[in-house]
């Protein structure tokens, strides 16, 4: 039996003050439109979140629709990918605002019997992913999870405490480079000849081509960042010595 969406918020909140608006909200928008079979409920939930995010609406109505999306099968991985994709069209600040709410909606209970890795995964919205295939260029364990493969390549890179990647340089004939956005924990970014820069959730680093650098976790914290590959011509990465 198909689940039916029922809404009474209009009448509960507005009552006789705006009875006609309450009728349109409860009986037409949710009563008829939301129960239209032409679009399945999961898709309809995603569309609604995208519309609210694009409009810059991040109040309790967005929280409700994020909860509704989760209730109708949208996973943490899927909502993270949806918000990331829409960020390129609707704006990065809007994405951060929505992520802050989505993290609460998809927050998992942290069990003290969980491993430290499992506890850390429960604290962030992006998946940690699988062991990093570039492990030979990292000191310590790291993990890689694809977020987007269209338009631009985006991966969530996670470092265990103390893990760092080697010094390296991004090359390109034209364009190229990389953008890092911290999405969990605490870590550092350092360019050759400069002091390390602390990175915490929300911090962004732009890495031009030709700059020798490394990034990795603080000794006492896990660390995750989105690695956004800037499109370019003849791009490559030159891996160098380990960080001492």
């Amino acid at each position: 039996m198909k689940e039916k969406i029922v809404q009474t918020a209009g009448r509960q909140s507005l009552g006789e003050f705006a009875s006609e608006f309450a009728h349109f909200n409860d009986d037409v928008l949710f009563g008829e439109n939301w129960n239209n079979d032409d679009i399945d409920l999961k898709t309809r939930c995603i569309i609604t979140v995208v519309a609210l995010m694009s409009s810059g609406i991040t109040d309790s109505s967005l929280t409700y629709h994020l909860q509704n999306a989760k209730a109708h099968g949208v996973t943490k991985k899927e909502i993270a990918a949806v918000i990331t994709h829409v960020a390129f069209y609707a704006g990065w600040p809007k994405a951060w605002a929505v992520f802050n709410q989505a993290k609460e909606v998809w927050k998992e209970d942290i069990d003290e019997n969980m491993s430290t890795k499992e506890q850390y995964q429960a604290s962030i919205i992006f998946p940690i992913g699988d062991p990093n295939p570039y492990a030979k260029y990292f000191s310590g364990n790291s993990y890689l999870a694809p977020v987007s493969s269209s338009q631009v390549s985006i991966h969530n890179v996670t470092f265990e405490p103390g893990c760092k990647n080697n010094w390296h340089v991004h090359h390109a004939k034209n364009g190229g480079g990389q953008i890092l956005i911290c999405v969990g924990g605490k870590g550092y970014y350092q360019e050759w000849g400069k002091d390390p820069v602390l990175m915490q959730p929300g911090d962004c680093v732009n890495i031009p081509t030709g700059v020798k650098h490394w990034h990795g976790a603080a000794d006492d914290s896990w660390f995750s960042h989105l690695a956004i590959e800037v499109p370019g011509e003849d791009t490559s990465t030159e891996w160098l010595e380990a960080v001492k």
Side-chain angles (χ1 to χ4, degrees), residues 65-102:
H65 283 289
L66 288 169
Q67 293 169 337
N68 201 33
K70 181 180 179 182
H72 288 95
V74 178
T75 65
K76 182 165 70 171
K77 183 177 180 179
E78 288 173 331
I79 198 65
V82 167
I83 298 169
T84 300
H85 179 78
V86 179
F88 286 96
Y89 297 92
W92 219 249
K94 292 178 181 177
W96 272 113
V98 178
F99 270 129
N100 287 334
Q101 290 180 257

Side-chain angles (χ1 to χ4, degrees), residues 14 36 38 61 63 74 80 87 164 191:
L14 299 173
N36 183 293
D38 293 340
S61 62
T63 300
V74 178
K164 303 174 178 65
E191 295 183 0

Side-chain angles (χ1 to χ4, degrees), residues 15-181:
E16 296 301 317
F17 184 80
S19 58
E20 187 174 16
F21 182 91
H23 157 67
F24 289 138
N25 183 83
D26 296 352
D27 302 331
V28 179
L29 171 57
F30 286 94
E32 296 180 15
N33 183 65
W34 269 85
N35 289 294
N36 183 293
D37 290 334
D38 293 340
I39 304 175
D40 64 83
L41 278 176
K42 181 178 178 180
T43 302
R44 198 176 291 275
C45 289
I46 292 173
I47 292 171
T48 304
V49 169
V50 170
L52 292 174
M53 174 179 166
S54 300
S55 300
I57 297 173
T58 56
D59 59 12
S60 59
S61 62
L62 175 62
T63 300
Y64 167 81
H65 283 289
L66 288 169
Q67 293 169 337
N68 201 33
K70 181 180 179 182
H72 288 95
V74 178
T75 65
K76 182 165 70 171
K77 183 177 180 179
E78 288 173 331
I79 198 65
V82 167
I83 298 169
T84 300
H85 179 78
V86 179
F88 286 96
Y89 297 92
W92 219 249
K94 292 178 181 177
W96 272 113
V98 178
F99 270 129
N100 287 334
Q101 290 180 257
K103 282 177 65 176
E104 291 300 311
V105 173
W106 272 266
K107 181 170 63 177
E108 302 170 14
D109 293 332
I110 296 179
D111 186 339
E112 62 181 12
N113 294 319
M114 288 179 174
S115 67
T116 56
K117 178 184 173 184
E118 290 172 331
Q119 290 182 29
Y120 177 68
Q121 174 64 89
S123 72
I124 63 173
I125 195 166
F126 288 97
I128 287 177
D130 299 319
N132 195 336
Y134 298 95
K136 65 181 180 179
Y137 302 119
F138 287 68
S139 61
N141 294 320
S142 63
Y143 304 87
L144 197 66
V147 176
S148 172
S149 57
S150 61
Q151 295 182 304
V152 293
S153 173
I154 305 175
H155 288 78
N156 183 38
V157 186
T158 296
F159 304 72
E160 69 175 6
C163 175
K164 303 174 178 65
N165 54 28
N166 290 5
W167 290 99
H168 57 286
V169 179
H170 300 295
H171 296 290
K173 183 177 180 181
N174 291 300
Q178 191 177 58
I179 301 171
L180 307 180
I181 300 175

